[in-house]
């Protein structure tokens, strides 16, 4: 690894770089600043280094200090390792070993004069690092992987159908992938991470299945934001369906509870209304047709009035209970719309069912109230029939009531 960093220092010490495909070549004036470095290069056993002064080759055991002030030509054969790479440019680096899918421990690019780990990397380097993150993410969620010809990574995904992706690309395929870090983290901490993985695979297969296998990964890099958008939309749909089913289940339980409460209001009243036929029979059968006022008839009429007043109070109380239950339902509906605005409309049928039941029970209470009132009128009718003189006193009393001023 020492030879790698020596090469980087040598490149940065060269004043005139001579283009070369496999070697580092350039002109440098020997001075006090670079003298020690040039001597290290000559003495280092792990590197093939040649220093020329004009046409003459400087002996390997020479002292560089003897050439102070002279312009020399430096030639260094670049090392090739699987952990570190010295490359001319990004294209050169991607063509070495397995660096398309595995980040080297250290790398240096002449194009941009960038050493890995340094701040403010060139755009291509940032895009390369994001691409490696994407490859690591895909490798993590893949169902199978293998290597073609020993170095090229192949990923296999199974989700209703099979998709194979060869990790092969060039520097021109690199693109910005700002979402990859958040996406990768979401599968580690999100409570729905298993479902997230399934949904992302489905989005991946949908977008890439029609693309030629050799072009799938470059296509993925180019359209990564679209795939992420499709994945996020599908996941939002899954979450909304998950929330919908949960809210729906809660409201179905509430629907049963409130319908039972609405029914109980009428049931409690119906138990009391069964007395009305008995009261009518009592009024019709027990009153005496004497033709004049009797204590018995007055007692029965007062009892009928008292019974009707009690029934009216009961019905009013039941009506208030019914209204209170309906207000509870409306309050719960409003809270649901605030918390689950996107799915509230999908459980509207539950609210409609409860509202319909409320109106139905309200009409039944009104009917019971009408029956009670009719029973009271029946009692008065029988009373006036059996005691005609009371009707005359009643009509006179009514005539004394002043007319309203309008």
């Amino acid at each position: 690894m020492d030879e790698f960093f020596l090469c980087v220092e040598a490149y940065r010490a060269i004043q005139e770089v001579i283009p070369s495909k496999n070697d580092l070549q350039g002109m440098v004036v020997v001075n006090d600043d670079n003298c020690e470095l040039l001597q290290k290069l000559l003495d280092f056993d792990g590197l093939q280094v040649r220093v020329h002064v004009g046409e003459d080759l400087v002996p390997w055991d020479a002292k560089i200090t003897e050439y102070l002030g002279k312009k020399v030509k430096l030639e260094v054969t670049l090392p090739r390792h699987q952990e570190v790479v010295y490359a001319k440019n990004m294209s050169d680096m991607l063509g070495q070993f397995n660096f398309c899918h595995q980040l080297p421990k250290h790398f240096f690019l002449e194009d941009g004069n960038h050493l890995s780990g340094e701040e403010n990397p060139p755009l291509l380097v940032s895009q390369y690092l994001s691409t490696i993150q994407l490859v690591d993410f895909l490798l993590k969620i893949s169902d199978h992987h293998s290597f073609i010809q020993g170095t090229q990574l192949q990923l296999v995904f199974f989700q209703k159908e099979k998709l194979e992706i060869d990790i092969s690309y060039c520097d021109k395929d690199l693109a910005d992938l700002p979402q990859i870090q958040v996406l990768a983290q979401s599968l580690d901490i999100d409570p729905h991470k298993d479902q997230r993985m399934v949904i992302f695979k489905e989005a991946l297969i949908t977008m890439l299945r029609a693309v030629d296998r050799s072009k799938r990964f470059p296509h993925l890099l180019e359209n990564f934001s679209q795939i992420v958008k499709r994945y996020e939309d599908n996941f939002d749909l899954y979450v909304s369906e998950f929330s919908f089913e949960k809210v729906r289940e809660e409201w179905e339980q509430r629907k049963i509870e409130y319908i039972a409460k609405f029914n109980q209001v009428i049931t409690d009243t119906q138990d009391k209304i069964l007395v009305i036929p008995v009261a009518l029979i009592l009024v019709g059968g027990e009153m005496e047709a004497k033709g004049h006022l009797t204590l018995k008839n007055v007692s029965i009429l007062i009892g009928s009035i008292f019974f009707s007043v009690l029934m009216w109070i009961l019905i009013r109380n039941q009506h208030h209970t019914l209204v209170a239950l309906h207000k509870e339902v409306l309050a719960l509906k409003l809270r649901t719309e605030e918390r689950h605005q996107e799915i509230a409309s999908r459980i509207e049928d539950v609210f409609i069912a409860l509202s319909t039941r409320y109106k139905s029970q309200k009409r039944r209470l009104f009917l019971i109230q009408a029956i009670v009132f009719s029973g009271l009128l029946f009692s008065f009718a029988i009373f006036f029939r059996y005691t005609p003189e009371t009707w005359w006193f009643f009509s006179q009393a009514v005539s004394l009531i002043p007319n309203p001023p309008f």
Side-chain angles (χ1 to χ4, degrees):
M1 193 176 295
D2 291 339
E3 63 268 29
F4 167 76
F5 290 104
L6 274 176
C7 289
V8 173
E9 289 186 62
Y11 175 80
R12 291 177 169 175
I14 289 175
Q15 289 132 10
E16 299 176 27
V17 177
I18 299 174
S20 176
K21 185 174 181 181
N22 298 315
D23 295 339
L24 170 61
Q25 297 185 22
M27 306 300 297
V28 56
V29 176
V30 181
N31 53 40
D32 294 333
D33 295 331
N34 57 35
C35 186
E36 183 179 355
L37 171 62
L38 294 174
Q39 190 64 59
K40 281 184 181 180
L41 288 168
L42 275 178
D43 297 340
F44 196 82
D45 293 334
L47 282 176
Q48 295 182 11
V49 180
R50 295 171 297 280
V51 179
H52 296 266
V53 179
E55 298 295 330
D56 299 327
L57 179 66
V58 175
W60 62 268
D61 56 350
K63 299 297 181 183
I64 289 296
T65 52
E66 299 175 6
Y67 301 93
L68 283 170
K70 292 185 178 181
K71 190 173 187 179
V72 301
K73 179 182 179 183
L74 180 64
E75 297 179 4
V76 181
T77 301
L78 297 175
R80 300 279 178 171
H81 296 289
Q82 291 191 6
E83 290 189 355
V84 296
V85 56
Y86 182 106
K88 297 293 183 178
N89 48 45
M90 182 61 70
S91 178
D92 181 25
M93 185 173 79
L94 293 176
Q96 299 184 37
F97 299 106
N98 54 2
F99 297 136
C100 272
H101 67 267
Q102 183 173 337
L103 184 68
K105 189 173 182 179
H106 299 286
F107 65 89
F108 177 77
L109 301 181
E110 284 188 3
D111 184 12
N113 190 19
H114 178 74
L115 177 64
S116 58
E118 293 180 339
E119 295 181 354
N120 302 319
L123 178 61
L124 270 181
V125 173
S126 298
Q127 292 174 339
Y128 170 70
L129 296 176
S130 296
T131 301
I132 293 298
Q133 277 188 298
L134 174 59
V135 173
D136 290 341
F137 170 72
L138 294 176
L139 180 61
K140 182 178 179 179
I141 68 172
S142 66
D143 298 292
H144 178 71
H145 70 275
S146 59
F147 292 94
I148 302 174
Q149 298 178 349
T151 58
Q152 188 181 83
L153 178 64
Q154 181 190 74
L155 304 177
V156 182
F157 299 89
F158 296 104
Q159 197 64 41
K160 297 181 180 178
E161 57 184 292
K162 179 180 177 182
L163 178 75
E164 295 177 331
I165 302 178
D166 298 337
I167 307 302
S168 175
Y169 59 95
C170 65
D171 58 319
K172 294 180 180 179
D173 298 322
L174 294 172
D176 293 326
L177 307 174
Q179 310 101 320
I180 182 58
Q181 191 167 0
V182 175
L183 180 64
Q185 289 175 349
S186 69
L187 293 184
D188 292 329
I189 61 176
D190 193 277
H192 301 290
K193 62 181 181 180
D194 292 337
Q195 192 60 34
R196 278 185 176 273
M197 191 180 301
V198 170
I199 292 172
F200 183 81
K201 286 181 183 180
E202 290 176 348
L204 193 68
I205 292 172
T206 301
M207 292 289 287
L208 298 181
R209 61 187 170 196
V211 180
D212 184 74
R213 176 174 164 177
S214 63
K215 299 178 181 178
R216 281 176 181 167
F217 193 74
H219 185 81
L220 171 60
L221 293 176
E222 182 180 358
N223 299 278
F224 184 70
S225 59
Q226 295 181 29
I227 293 177
V228 172
K229 179 66 166 59
R230 177 186 289 265
Y231 152 73
E232 290 175 344
D233 290 344
N234 291 345
F235 181 74
D236 289 343
L237 179 62
Y238 162 76
V239 171
S240 66
E241 287 294 332
F242 179 83
S243 301
F244 167 70
E245 292 299 331
K246 186 176 180 181
V247 173
R248 177 82 187 192
E249 184 178 352
E250 291 176 358
W251 268 102
E252 287 294 343
Q253 291 294 328
R254 287 174 178 168
K255 176 182 174 182
I256 295 172
E257 293 173 5
Y258 278 100
I259 286 179
K261 290 178 180 179
F262 287 151
N263 291 341
Q264 188 63 38
V265 170
I266 299 301
T267 301
D268 292 345
T269 309
Q270 285 174 339
D271 293 340
K272 310 297 187 300
I273 203 174
L274 291 174
V275 184
I276 294 178
V278 178
L280 295 177
I281 293 171
L282 178 65
V283 171
E286 294 297 325
M287 279 191 179
E288 298 175 338
K290 297 287 186 178
H292 59 83
L293 194 64
T294 65
L295 180 61
K296 184 178 181 180
N297 287 354
V298 172
S299 298
I300 293 174
L301 180 62
I302 292 174
S304 179
I305 294 171
F306 183 72
F307 169 76
S308 298
V309 170
L310 289 179
M311 284 298 298
W312 183 84
I313 293 173
L314 172 65
I315 293 169
R316 293 305 300 170
N317 286 339
Q318 295 300 82
H319 179 266
H320 291 321
T321 302
L322 199 62
V323 171
L325 289 173
H326 184 56
K327 286 182 178 179
E328 282 185 27
V329 172
L330 292 178
L332 288 171
K333 178 185 177 183
L334 182 61
R335 196 180 311 162
T336 301
E337 289 174 346
E338 290 174 350
R339 294 181 179 178
H340 309 282
Q341 186 176 5
E342 67 284 354
I343 62 174
S345 60
R346 301 174 64 186
I347 56 174
E348 185 69 24
D349 60 310
V350 178
F351 302 135
I352 293 174
L354 290 173
S355 180
T356 301
R357 181 54 61 98
Y358 162 72
K359 293 175 182 178
S360 174
Q361 301 301 70
K362 192 175 179 181
R363 286 192 297 268
R364 290 180 183 180
L365 275 181
F366 177 77
L367 178 61
I368 294 173
Q369 199 170 21
I371 292 173
V372 172
F373 183 70
S374 299
L376 181 60
L377 290 179
F378 177 78
S379 299
F380 272 98
I382 296 295
F383 179 77
F384 289 136
R385 179 179 177 82
Y386 288 168
T387 54
E389 71 273 13
T390 56
W391 172 253
W392 183 85
F393 286 111
F394 178 76
S395 61
Q396 290 298 314
V398 171
S399 66
L400 294 176
I401 300 175
N403 294 324
F406 54 83

